[in-house]
Structures are given as structure tokens and as C-alpha cells.
Amino acid sequence: MVILGIETTCDETAAALVERSEDGSGRIMSNVVLSQVSEHAAFGGVVPEIAARAHVEALDRIIAKAMAEAQYTFAALDGVAAAAGPGLIGGLIVGLTTAKAVALSHGKPLLAVNHLEAHALTARLTDGTPFPYCLFLASGGHTQILGVRGVGDYLRLGGTVDDAIGEAFDKTAKLLGLGYPGGPLVEKEAQSGDAKRFALPRPMSGRRDADFSLSGLKTALRLEAEKISPLSHQDVADLCASFQQAVVDVVIDRLRLGMRMFRDQVGTPTALVCAGGVAANQAIRKVLHRVAFEVGTSLVAPPPALCTDNGAMIAWAGAERLALGLTDPLDFAPRPRWPLDQVAKAAAASAQS
Ligand code: KG4
Ligand code: ZN
């Protein structure tokens, strides 16, 4: 089966065609991503209204490009998938309405995909990873540790109670005047910095759940920066290194616990899978390998272009759902908030209707 996937939850306008074979393997036929980074850069973060307008202006063109690159027609599709949440409501309406229009006019099933589910299932497209596996998702909008037991069967083991990890990197960069997106810039500065110079907190470390909290770390960093302002180049590098080391320590602590919870509640994982832009960070990537190794499994890291937001992951999640007969009605409403453990309930409801 061949599915068109549309992604508009945040600041990427993306469309892709993905084929799923009967044996469960996948193939990307096209994958077009338009990043809005330059439109948000001046604001140091994503501005919802700007994002929604940019999606409206670009989506038709991006879909046409994905169709042309795959040399495919709407009539030949088996289904149309769009990310229906969680995300910014403006973008969700644009993407989901467009998918509904294509589905209705060509008589194809609609697949309203949970964006987090799409991240969670990507390793099956890229690496054919069997269930169950543990997912560490860390992006600008999300930070979660998930038990992935099957399609529509997710166990949330931990998540952030405030900022996402990528968001914390972005806010750190903004505070230090480095630019946006902040992750790569903070990582680069950290390379020439002293990670021991500033004693920043390791929020939540040692706690018995696998949750994250990053806003206290951000505040502590701001206070340190204010104490020594104006900042020299070395000060900035040292602040970045100290911040990154604190995040790395928190990730190790939380993920070790998450893996232990996985063993207790799910069983032996086939892999630790990472997703989200933060996984590009080499220091964080190193500890993911380490934690996986400690529990006797290995790290599966899809290529960066498929770890960050893209249409192929939406198309693939749609294909996995369609293969199980899980389609959605055309009046499916976008869901700005949509925790993954509710995906199973939604799937059950749509199977009955
Ligand atoms: O998954 P993604 O491309 O987009 C969404 O957030 O949906 O992730 C982007 C986030 C940004 O917050 C960015 O600063 C962060 O990932 N990021 C990094 C690195 N590269 C990107 N954070 C830390 N280190 C990096 N090298
Ligand atoms: Zn994402």
C-alpha cells in the first residue's frame, strides 16, 4: 500500500509518500520538508500565527512536489494520513483539512495520525525494529520515554513536567545571544567550554519516576550568567558546557530509570530507539549508547532527517494503522493535546464506528 503523509504540527511543512509491503517492510518514495526556521529565527522560537500562515502558503506546493518526486497520482493512493495532533492548532487545521479534502475527493481512507506515534514507529520504517522497544523522544516540543508495545499500544514511562529538552537548549541559546535554533549552537560552544565551572542543578535526579524538569536548570543558568555579566566568549562557552553536562547527567539518570521501568512493566526491549532533533547532540547520543549497552540492548537511531519532523513518519504511521484497518472518519477534529496513551482508545473507537 502507498500512503501520502502530511506533517504540519509545528514549524515544518512536510509531505511524503511511503510504501508498505505485506511483509511489513517500508520504502520511502518521496520525502519533502520545508523548514520555517528562518521565519521564526528573529523571535528565538516558533510563533504559532506565523507558522499557521506559512503552512497555508506552502502545503499545496509541498504535496505536489512529493507526488511528483514519487511519480504517483492521488487516484492510485491507498490512504491519506495527516498529523492530527498534538501540536499548534493553526497548523493542525491546515494539514488535517487538506488531508480530508484529498481523501474525500479521491475516495480514499483518512488516517488521523498522532505525531508522537509517528515518531515512535519510525524505527520500524528505517530499521524494521520489532516490538517491544523503548523510545527516547527529545525535540523542541516533546520529551518522553515511552514503552512501544505495538501499533496503538504505548506506555508512557516518563516525560517533562515543564520545558522540552530542545526548548531548554533554545532558551539557553537565546539567553546567551547565540541564535536559533539553539541546540547545535550550544553544542558547538560547549566544545571549548569548561563543564565544571558552574555548579548547575540536576533536576529530578534520583526521583522514582522517569520524569524530567528543565525550567529550574534554565533559571539557575540565567542567575549564573547575570552574576558574571558582561559575558566574555569563554564565559559563554563555559556556561554552554556546564548546561549541556547537566542535561546529559539528567538524561542518564532518567533514562536508566526508564529502562528499569520498561523491564518491570513491559519486558526485555529489542532496542532503545531515539527520535527528535536533540538526538543529533553528540554528547547526548553517547549516553544513549551507554545506557542501551548497560541494559544489554543497542541504540537504534534513525537518520537525522527522519528523527526530526517529516512527512514520511506520518505516512508510515498511517500505513501501519491502515494495515490493521484503523481508519478515521472525515469529521475527526484536530487535537492540540493528545497524549499517546489515548491513541489506543481512539483506535478502539474508530474500529467500532
Ligand atoms: O525534532 P525537531 O527538529 O523539531 C521539533 O521540535 O519538533 O527538534 C528541534 C529541537 C530544537 O529545540 C533544537 O534546538 C534541538 O532540537 N536540537 C538540538 C541539537 N540539534 C537540534 N539540541 C541539542 N543539541 C543539538 N545538536
Ligand atoms: Zn516531532
Short mmCIF file of all heavy atoms in Angstrom, two decimals, residues 97-129:
data_model
loop_
_atom_site.label_atom_id
_atom_site.label_comp_id
_atom_site.label_asym_id
_atom_site.label_seq_id
_atom_site.Cartn_x
_atom_site.Cartn_y
_atom_site.Cartn_z
N THR A 97 -7.20 19.37 7.39
CA THR A 97 -8.24 19.74 6.43
C THR A 97 -7.80 19.40 5.01
O THR A 97 -8.59 18.91 4.19
CB THR A 97 -8.56 21.26 6.54
OG1 THR A 97 -8.87 21.55 7.89
CG2 THR A 97 -9.74 21.64 5.66
N THR A 98 -6.54 19.64 4.71
CA THR A 98 -6.02 19.31 3.39
C THR A 98 -6.10 17.80 3.14
O THR A 98 -6.53 17.35 2.08
CB THR A 98 -4.55 19.80 3.26
OG1 THR A 98 -4.52 21.20 3.54
CG2 THR A 98 -4.00 19.53 1.88
N ALA A 99 -5.70 17.03 4.15
CA ALA A 99 -5.78 15.56 4.01
C ALA A 99 -7.22 15.10 3.80
O ALA A 99 -7.50 14.23 2.98
CB ALA A 99 -5.18 14.90 5.26
N LYS A 100 -8.14 15.71 4.52
CA LYS A 100 -9.56 15.35 4.37
C LYS A 100 -10.04 15.65 2.95
O LYS A 100 -10.78 14.87 2.36
CB LYS A 100 -10.42 16.13 5.38
CG LYS A 100 -10.28 15.65 6.81
CD LYS A 100 -11.06 16.57 7.75
CE LYS A 100 -10.93 16.12 9.19
NZ LYS A 100 -11.60 17.05 10.11
N ALA A 101 -9.62 16.81 2.43
CA ALA A 101 -10.04 17.21 1.08
C ALA A 101 -9.54 16.20 0.05
O ALA A 101 -10.30 15.77 -0.83
CB ALA A 101 -9.52 18.61 0.76
N VAL A 102 -8.28 15.79 0.18
CA VAL A 102 -7.72 14.81 -0.78
C VAL A 102 -8.45 13.47 -0.61
O VAL A 102 -8.85 12.83 -1.59
CB VAL A 102 -6.20 14.63 -0.56
CG1 VAL A 102 -5.65 13.55 -1.49
CG2 VAL A 102 -5.46 15.95 -0.77
N ALA A 103 -8.66 13.07 0.64
CA ALA A 103 -9.32 11.78 0.91
C ALA A 103 -10.74 11.78 0.36
O ALA A 103 -11.17 10.82 -0.29
CB ALA A 103 -9.32 11.50 2.42
N LEU A 104 -11.47 12.87 0.60
CA LEU A 104 -12.87 12.94 0.17
C LEU A 104 -12.97 12.97 -1.36
O LEU A 104 -13.75 12.22 -1.96
CB LEU A 104 -13.52 14.19 0.77
CG LEU A 104 -14.99 14.43 0.41
CD1 LEU A 104 -15.87 13.31 0.98
CD2 LEU A 104 -15.47 15.78 0.96
N SER A 105 -12.16 13.81 -1.98
CA SER A 105 -12.31 13.97 -3.43
C SER A 105 -11.82 12.74 -4.20
O SER A 105 -12.26 12.53 -5.32
CB SER A 105 -11.61 15.25 -3.91
OG SER A 105 -10.27 15.23 -3.52
N HIS A 106 -10.96 11.95 -3.60
CA HIS A 106 -10.46 10.77 -4.33
C HIS A 106 -10.98 9.46 -3.72
O HIS A 106 -10.56 8.38 -4.13
CB HIS A 106 -8.93 10.77 -4.36
CG HIS A 106 -8.38 11.91 -5.17
ND1 HIS A 106 -8.27 11.88 -6.54
CD2 HIS A 106 -7.97 13.15 -4.79
CE1 HIS A 106 -7.78 13.03 -6.96
NE2 HIS A 106 -7.59 13.83 -5.92
N GLY A 107 -11.88 9.58 -2.76
CA GLY A 107 -12.49 8.38 -2.18
C GLY A 107 -11.49 7.47 -1.47
O GLY A 107 -11.55 6.25 -1.58
N LYS A 108 -10.55 8.09 -0.73
CA LYS A 108 -9.52 7.31 -0.01
C LYS A 108 -9.75 7.38 1.49
O LYS A 108 -10.27 8.38 1.99
CB LYS A 108 -8.12 7.88 -0.31
CG LYS A 108 -7.80 8.00 -1.79
CD LYS A 108 -7.72 6.64 -2.44
CE LYS A 108 -7.50 6.78 -3.96
NZ LYS A 108 -7.56 5.48 -4.63
N PRO A 109 -9.33 6.36 2.22
CA PRO A 109 -9.46 6.43 3.68
C PRO A 109 -8.55 7.50 4.29
O PRO A 109 -7.45 7.75 3.81
CB PRO A 109 -9.04 5.04 4.16
CG PRO A 109 -8.41 4.36 3.01
CD PRO A 109 -8.79 5.07 1.76
N LEU A 110 -9.07 8.13 5.36
CA LEU A 110 -8.30 9.13 6.10
C LEU A 110 -7.65 8.46 7.31
O LEU A 110 -8.26 7.64 8.00
CB LEU A 110 -9.22 10.25 6.59
CG LEU A 110 -8.57 11.28 7.52
CD1 LEU A 110 -7.65 12.21 6.73
CD2 LEU A 110 -9.61 12.10 8.27
N LEU A 111 -6.39 8.84 7.57
CA LEU A 111 -5.70 8.34 8.77
C LEU A 111 -5.25 9.55 9.58
O LEU A 111 -4.37 10.30 9.15
CB LEU A 111 -4.52 7.47 8.35
CG LEU A 111 -5.00 6.30 7.47
CD1 LEU A 111 -4.10 6.06 6.30
CD2 LEU A 111 -5.22 5.06 8.31
N ALA A 112 -5.91 9.78 10.70
CA ALA A 112 -5.57 10.91 11.57
C ALA A 112 -4.51 10.41 12.55
O ALA A 112 -4.80 9.69 13.49
CB ALA A 112 -6.81 11.40 12.31
N VAL A 113 -3.27 10.81 12.29
CA VAL A 113 -2.13 10.22 12.99
C VAL A 113 -1.71 11.09 14.18
O VAL A 113 -1.69 12.31 14.10
CB VAL A 113 -0.96 10.05 12.00
CG1 VAL A 113 0.34 9.73 12.71
CG2 VAL A 113 -1.29 8.98 10.96
N ASN A 114 -1.38 10.44 15.27
CA ASN A 114 -0.77 11.12 16.41
C ASN A 114 0.72 11.33 16.08
O ASN A 114 1.44 10.37 15.77
CB ASN A 114 -0.95 10.27 17.67
CG ASN A 114 -0.35 10.93 18.90
OD1 ASN A 114 0.86 11.20 18.94
ND2 ASN A 114 -1.16 11.17 19.91
N HIS A 115 1.16 12.57 16.15
CA HIS A 115 2.54 12.93 15.79
C HIS A 115 3.57 12.15 16.62
O HIS A 115 4.61 11.73 16.12
CB HIS A 115 2.69 14.45 16.01
CG HIS A 115 4.05 14.99 15.78
ND1 HIS A 115 4.48 15.46 14.57
CD2 HIS A 115 5.10 15.13 16.62
CE1 HIS A 115 5.73 15.88 14.68
NE2 HIS A 115 6.14 15.69 15.92
N LEU A 116 3.26 11.93 17.89
CA LEU A 116 4.19 11.19 18.76
C LEU A 116 4.23 9.73 18.36
O LEU A 116 5.29 9.08 18.39
CB LEU A 116 3.74 11.31 20.23
CG LEU A 116 3.68 12.74 20.76
CD1 LEU A 116 3.06 12.75 22.16
CD2 LEU A 116 5.06 13.35 20.80
N GLU A 117 3.07 9.19 17.96
CA GLU A 117 3.03 7.81 17.48
C GLU A 117 3.90 7.66 16.24
O GLU A 117 4.61 6.66 16.07
CB GLU A 117 1.58 7.41 17.17
CG GLU A 117 1.48 6.03 16.53
CD GLU A 117 0.05 5.51 16.43
OE1 GLU A 117 -0.85 6.28 16.02
OE2 GLU A 117 -0.17 4.32 16.76
N ALA A 118 3.86 8.68 15.38
CA ALA A 118 4.67 8.64 14.16
C ALA A 118 6.17 8.60 14.51
O ALA A 118 6.93 7.82 13.94
CB ALA A 118 4.35 9.83 13.28
N HIS A 119 6.59 9.44 15.47
CA HIS A 119 7.99 9.38 15.92
C HIS A 119 8.28 7.97 16.47
O HIS A 119 9.33 7.40 16.22
CB HIS A 119 8.24 10.39 17.05
CG HIS A 119 8.59 11.77 16.57
ND1 HIS A 119 9.65 12.03 15.73
CD2 HIS A 119 8.03 12.98 16.83
CE1 HIS A 119 9.72 13.34 15.50
NE2 HIS A 119 8.74 13.94 16.15
N ALA A 120 7.32 7.45 17.22
CA ALA A 120 7.54 6.17 17.89
C ALA A 120 7.68 5.01 16.91
O ALA A 120 8.41 4.06 17.19
CB ALA A 120 6.38 5.88 18.86
N LEU A 121 7.02 5.08 15.77
CA LEU A 121 7.02 3.95 14.83
C LEU A 121 8.08 4.07 13.74
O LEU A 121 8.28 3.13 12.95
CB LEU A 121 5.63 3.81 14.18
CG LEU A 121 4.48 3.46 15.15
CD1 LEU A 121 3.15 3.44 14.41
CD2 LEU A 121 4.73 2.12 15.84
N THR A 122 8.79 5.22 13.69
CA THR A 122 9.76 5.45 12.60
C THR A 122 10.84 4.36 12.54
O THR A 122 11.28 3.98 11.45
CB THR A 122 10.42 6.84 12.77
OG1 THR A 122 9.40 7.83 12.69
CG2 THR A 122 11.45 7.11 11.70
N ALA A 123 11.26 3.85 13.69
CA ALA A 123 12.34 2.84 13.70
C ALA A 123 11.91 1.57 12.96
O ALA A 123 12.75 0.80 12.49
CB ALA A 123 12.72 2.50 15.14
N ARG A 124 10.61 1.36 12.84
CA ARG A 124 10.13 0.18 12.11
C ARG A 124 10.25 0.40 10.60
O ARG A 124 10.48 -0.54 9.84
CB ARG A 124 8.69 -0.14 12.50
CG ARG A 124 8.61 -0.57 13.96
CD ARG A 124 7.20 -0.66 14.46
NE ARG A 124 6.34 -1.51 13.68
CZ ARG A 124 6.37 -2.83 13.65
NH1 ARG A 124 7.26 -3.47 14.40
NH2 ARG A 124 5.54 -3.51 12.91
N LEU A 125 10.12 1.67 10.18
CA LEU A 125 10.30 2.02 8.77
C LEU A 125 11.78 1.94 8.40
O LEU A 125 12.15 1.38 7.37
CB LEU A 125 9.76 3.44 8.51
CG LEU A 125 10.13 4.12 7.19
CD1 LEU A 125 9.56 3.37 6.00
CD2 LEU A 125 9.63 5.56 7.17
N THR A 126 12.64 2.52 9.25
CA THR A 126 14.06 2.62 8.90
C THR A 126 14.85 1.35 9.21
O THR A 126 15.77 1.00 8.49
CB THR A 126 14.73 3.78 9.66
OG1 THR A 126 14.56 3.57 11.07
CG2 THR A 126 14.10 5.12 9.29
N ASP A 127 14.49 0.68 10.30
CA ASP A 127 15.31 -0.44 10.77
C ASP A 127 14.52 -1.73 10.96
O ASP A 127 15.10 -2.74 11.38
CB ASP A 127 16.00 -0.09 12.09
CG ASP A 127 17.02 1.03 11.92
OD1 ASP A 127 16.62 2.20 11.83
OD2 ASP A 127 18.23 0.72 11.83
N GLY A 128 13.22 -1.68 10.73
CA GLY A 128 12.39 -2.87 10.94
C GLY A 128 12.42 -3.36 12.38
O GLY A 128 12.30 -4.56 12.64
N THR A 129 12.59 -2.43 13.32
CA THR A 129 12.72 -2.82 14.74
C THR A 129 11.44 -3.49 15.24
O THR A 129 10.36 -2.92 15.13
CB THR A 129 13.01 -1.55 15.60
OG1 THR A 129 14.10 -0.86 15.02
CG2 THR A 129 13.32 -1.92 17.04
#
